[in-house]
Amino acid sequence: MTADAKTSYQLPDLPYDYNALEPVISAEIMELHYSKHHKGYVTNLNAAIEKYHEAESKNDVAAMIALQAAIKFNGGGHINHSIFWTILGPVQNGSHPGGELLKMIERDFGSFDQFKEKFNAETIAIQGSGWGWLGYNKNLRQLEIAACANQDPLSTKGLVPILGVDVWEHAYYLQYKNLRADYVKAIWQIFHWRHIEERFAKAIV
């Protein structure tokens, strides 16, 4: 049995060249991160879903349950990286957001600088591998900072992702070595705020 169109996921196109984010993220890291790691999540997600459908067709509930961890991990990796590529861009895209997103950041965190400081602290402090996120809580109509372990998507915390930072070592180690804090602080130079603002506008509808 092969995965049909409804269950076959594809590696999205990278919206810029591998070297477009230098000097913040090297071309070598970008190529490995995108063509090896993200591609691996997509390949493994499709394989897990195919096995899940086979188990489902046999009413093998035990096998279906056993496959859910692989679907969550690889599916989360695909979701997270698909967002990550779109919220980054060349350095000249600006240093901070504007409009309604900035207003809500100031409302919920006091100021943009306070938000940035809190986001960095919580993201740098993640134990092991994971992601730091700014998410929108639709129920409370407010922005929240959250950390997710491994490749857990932000939806597992009931939040809509606005921006996120990958702090798996493969995202920075070739360039920043063990200095995760330097990487997290530097990545603010390449946030594509127009795209982030577009994500926010869709989230609050």
Side-chain angles (χ1 to χ4, degrees):
M1 178 180 178
T2 58
D4 59 29
K6 293 182 179 179
T7 58
S8 183
Y9 294 91
Q10 305 295 324
L11 185 67
D13 292 334
L14 195 66
Y16 35 73
D17 293 333
Y18 290 136
N19 65 357
L21 305 183
E22 291 186 334
V24 178
I25 299 178
S26 71
E28 182 183 17
I29 287 177
M30 283 302 302
E31 183 173 4
L32 288 169
H33 200 170
Y34 172 77
S35 67
K36 302 298 183 182
H37 291 280
H38 190 175
K39 184 178 181 181
Y41 296 128
V42 173
T43 299
N44 293 332
L45 173 62
N46 285 328
I49 290 176
E50 182 176 336
K51 290 177 183 177
Y52 185 91
H53 287 325
E54 290 173 354
E56 188 176 36
S57 69
K58 299 173 183 176
N59 292 318
D60 188 345
V61 176
M64 291 164 64
I65 292 171
L67 286 161
Q68 287 176 7
I71 292 172
K72 179 182 179 182
F73 179 79
N74 292 292
H78 177 46
I79 290 168
N80 293 340
H81 287 86
S82 295
I83 295 170
F84 193 48
W85 310 135
T86 66
I87 63 170
L88 301 178
V91 172
Q92 61 266 26
N93 274 302
S95 59
H96 57 76
E100 294 304 313
L101 175 56
L102 180 59
K103 290 179 183 177
M104 190 171 288
I105 286 174
E106 292 172 340
R107 186 199 72 183
D108 293 341
F109 300 102
S111 70
F112 179 74
D113 286 341
Q114 286 177 292
F115 155 66
K116 185 175 176 180
E117 183 178 350
K118 181 176 173 63
F119 182 93
N120 284 354
E122 294 194 20
T123 302
I124 292 164
I126 292 172
Q127 295 185 347
S129 300
W131 290 73
W133 290 101
L134 173 67
Y136 180 68
N137 187 318
K138 282 183 172 289
N139 292 327
L140 299 179
R141 297 185 178 277
Q142 68 182 26
L143 294 168
E144 297 179 12
I145 294 169
C148 291
N150 300 313
Q151 292 295 351
D152 290 359
L154 191 58
S155 59
T156 60
K157 294 184 179 290
L159 301 174
V160 180
I162 305 301
L163 69 83
V165 175
D166 185 351
V167 290
W168 278 67
E169 286 190 345
H170 64 239
Y172 64 89
Y173 203 85
L174 284 174
Q175 186 173 353
Y176 293 89
K177 304 299 187 272
N178 62 318
L179 301 177
R180 176 189 282 182
D182 287 358
Y183 158 71
V184 172
K185 292 173 184 175
I187 204 169
W188 291 84
Q189 299 174 54
I190 54 171
F191 278 142
H192 196 308
W193 289 109
R194 181 170 61 81
H195 289 171
I196 294 168
E197 289 166 19
E198 288 171 358
R199 293 191 61 82
F200 171 72
K202 292 176 182 178
I204 63 175
V205 174

